[in-house]
Amino acid sequence: MFRSINVVSGEVLFEREPQTWQAFFKQFHHLRVKQQEYASLSVPPRTALLSKLADKLSCHRERLAEMICEEVGRCLRECLAELDKSIELIRYYVRLAPELLAHKTIATQASLSQVRFEPLGVVLAVMPWNYPVWQVLRFAVPALCAGNACVVKPAPSVAGVTAALFELVGDDLPFQAAWLTDNDTLKAIEVCDALAFTGSTETGRYLAAHAGWHLKKTVLELGGSNAFIVMPDADLEQAAKDACYSRFRDAGQSCNAAKRIIVTEAVAEDFITLFLSECAKLKIGNPKHHETSLAPLHRQDLRERVHTQVEDAVKNGAELLCGGYIESGPGWFYPATVLDKVTPEARVYREEVFGPVAVLLRATDPEHAVELANDNPFGLGASIYSADEAAAWRYAEKLQTGAVYINRHTSSDLRLPFGGVKASGYGRELSEFGLYEFVNVKSYWQK
């Protein structure tokens, strides 16, 4: 069942049954035909259709943001920011796609040789619940620019937002929702031409293995446990503010958040004092209220998992500096929690913590800080705070991640590729590199 629930009140907001495989298969064949017609268009008419979608999203920005707030639980201002970034994403590719997808003539011994970027066909996306508009469009917009059709299997708990989004999409674009069961999702991978997945590493491995068996192109954006490294010469006040913001925004439910805060011993005590002071300013409450800065978690089972991870850390020697208890009352709230002196035996040392829990690790020196950062299965992003920018760049080159931010918390920029290594997945989204993920880079040679 696809069912959206108000995370504060528990009210059911939207529900629908999954579609049958027969219904999806019919939808898929119609989409296949539509994709071929759409791919025959040049790039400017495609981007013109996307530009209209951006205008529609802009007109319905407040309504969609409120729906995300209710269904996901994130603060309303964070949901508005998601819509703004999604609209900006579309307009970014509308501007750049004609240039980036233009045929490239290459000088060879041929009279004419070119590289062209042609669509793969129908791309299936299996999407998460935490950013139900941004995640979908981050994958789909560049794929649509390239002439692909996109079909999206949404997370069951954000069905209402998904339905509202695709109501705005309408019939102009080859871009549709697929209300599939898990088993039928595997069958959909087999008939589609490529797969984009954002979600947990465990599920990503499973879907990618199935796609690999059927030789389908995949892009995986999986979990993250980003290191936030505080060097001895860092601006501690700024680092503490940024670490608090990055760890606790979106109630800690972001793959790209600072999750492991690695502090060199020389400044550990001073930094932790400043960090705890910033954490104390966070206000738990209704995510629609302006003064709320720490929203509830999305589901009860997610809160239980986070709390179990915290209890395990304490059992294995970590020191609980604040938080670490289940909030009473309606809504799946969890307080800002800080664990110091976390040991390698604790689950949080290696697992992703998808909630408002900061893991503090103490490093003896900068080299040890880099070792701790790399001693983790994930490799999405990392931050380094240091007054010595040249040294920070040298350490950044040693980090096994898809991105490094110097004197800023990890984020994403439309103009830069986004993705990770190791258990954080492979492939890239955003920028020109994201545009080229779902194309056939095809060579032409004429005697």
Side-chain angles (χ1 to χ4, degrees):
M1 176 67 73
F2 289 84
R3 180 184 290 113
S4 299
I5 297 173
N6 186 307
V7 298
V8 175
S9 69
E11 172 193 2
V12 176
L13 301 170
F14 178 95
E15 61 182 355
R16 61 157 291 162
E17 296 282 347
Q19 64 191 127
T20 65
W21 173 253
Q22 291 74 17
F24 171 78
F25 200 61
K26 182 178 180 180
Q27 173 191 2
F28 169 78
H29 279 285
H30 286 157
L31 194 59
R32 173 76 79 191
V33 172
K34 189 166 186 175
Q35 183 272 325
Q36 292 168 353
E37 296 170 352
Y38 177 74
S40 69
L41 300 174
S42 62
V43 177
R46 297 177 205 158
T47 57
L49 294 173
L50 285 164
S51 187
K52 290 180 181 179
L53 176 58
D55 293 340
K56 290 180 184 179
L57 287 173
S58 183
C59 289
H60 294 270
R61 168 181 176 268
E62 288 78 11
R63 178 175 69 90
L64 281 173
E66 188 165 332
M67 292 180 71
I68 296 169
C69 180
E70 292 175 346
E71 294 184 26
V72 176
R74 291 172 25 234
C75 291
L76 182 58
R77 63 179 172 278
E78 296 169 343
C79 301
L80 287 166
E82 176 182 350
L83 266 297
D84 290 339
K85 193 170 184 178
S86 298
I87 295 165
E88 184 185 358
L89 168 77
I90 297 174
R91 291 178 174 154
Y92 167 83
Y93 277 114
V94 165
R95 291 193 304 271
L96 267 68
E99 176 187 349
L100 295 176
L101 291 169
H103 305 332
K104 299 189 184 303
T105 299
I106 309 295
T108 69
Q109 68 268 38
S111 63
L112 176 64
S113 49
Q114 285 186 336
V115 173
R116 298 187 180 186
F117 305 101
E118 300 179 358
L120 295 180
V122 180
V123 184
L124 171 67
V126 180
M127 293 284 101
W129 52 262
N130 56 337
Y131 297 94
V133 173
W134 165 251
Q135 300 277 22
V136 169
L137 294 180
R138 190 177 71 184
F139 131 78
V141 171
L144 288 164
C145 286
N148 295 289
C150 298
V151 60
V152 176
K153 190 269 185 187
S157 57
V158 288
V161 173
T162 302
L165 172 63
F166 281 96
E167 183 179 336
L168 294 178
V169 171
D171 296 325
D172 291 340
L173 291 160
F175 183 25
Q176 299 175 6
W179 307 93
L180 294 165
T181 64
D182 290 344
N183 286 338
D184 284 348
T185 298
L186 295 177
K187 293 163 69 174
I189 290 173
E190 297 169 19
V191 298
C192 289
D193 301 295
L195 168 70
F197 173 74
T198 298
S200 72
T201 300
E202 181 181 9
T203 303
R205 284 193 178 103
Y206 181 69
L207 295 182
H210 192 75
W213 179 256
H214 293 276
L215 298 177
K216 307 295 183 177
K217 171 69 185 291
T218 54
V219 171
L220 305 182
E221 200 273 281
L222 308 179
S225 189
N226 291 3
F228 185 103
I229 300 173
V230 184
M231 296 300 194
D233 58 353
D235 180 337
L236 298 184
E237 289 189 10
Q238 188 62 53
K241 289 179 182 178
D242 288 1
C244 181
Y245 170 78
S246 181
R247 172 64 285 203
F248 298 111
R249 67 184 174 92
D250 305 321
Q253 298 173 120
S254 169
C255 61
N256 202 30
K259 295 189 174 80
R260 296 175 299 133
I261 301 172
I262 301 171
V263 190
T264 45
E265 281 285 8
V267 294
E269 297 302 330
D270 290 341
F271 171 83
I272 291 171
T273 298
L274 291 167
F275 181 63
L276 290 175
S277 177
E278 293 296 323
C279 295
K281 298 175 186 177
L282 296 169
K283 183 175 177 59
I284 287 179
N286 189 314
K288 289 187 178 181
H289 294 169
H290 177 74
E291 63 273 16
T292 298
S293 52
L294 187 57
L297 273 70
H298 180 56
R299 297 195 311 264
Q300 181 178 2
D301 63 302
L302 299 174
R303 181 173 70 170
E304 290 173 353
R305 174 179 169 83
V306 167
H307 188 57
T308 299
Q309 288 173 307
V310 170
E311 290 182 319
D312 172 80
V314 173
K315 181 181 177 181
N316 282 284
E319 183 179 340
L320 184 64
L321 300 185
C322 65
Y325 57 89
I326 298 286
E327 289 278 344
S328 60
W332 299 298
F333 292 94
Y334 199 77
T337 299
V338 179
L339 294 165
D340 189 16
K341 301 175 182 176
V342 171
T343 65
E345 292 73 28
R347 287 172 53 191
V348 298
Y349 186 86
R350 297 194 177 279
E351 292 180 2
E352 179 177 22
V353 184
F354 216 64
V357 177
V359 173
L360 294 177
L361 303 174
R362 297 183 182 227
T364 55
D365 54 37
E367 289 77 13
H368 185 217
V370 172
E371 290 176 14
L372 288 173
N374 287 335
D375 188 23
N376 192 268
F378 297 99
L380 186 56
S383 297
I384 298 177
Y385 280 71
S386 172
D388 188 341
E389 293 179 353
W393 277 81
R394 290 196 299 273
Y395 290 122
E397 292 174 349
K398 298 179 181 180
L399 292 171
Q400 300 162 1
T401 60
V404 182
Y405 282 68
I406 295 172
N407 292 324
R408 190 184 188 279
H409 60 83
T410 47
S411 184
S412 63
D413 188 305
L414 304 177
R415 298 159 294 187
L416 296 173
F418 179 76
V421 296
K422 302 196 294 187
S424 291
Y426 51 76
R428 293 295 180 264
E429 296 178 311
L430 304 179
S431 79
E432 62 188 277
F433 300 98
L435 187 63
Y436 296 141
E437 284 288 358
F438 292 116
V439 297
N440 175 16
V441 184
K442 189 172 176 181
S443 296
Y444 287 81
W445 198 98
Q446 175 181 305
K447 186 174 179 180

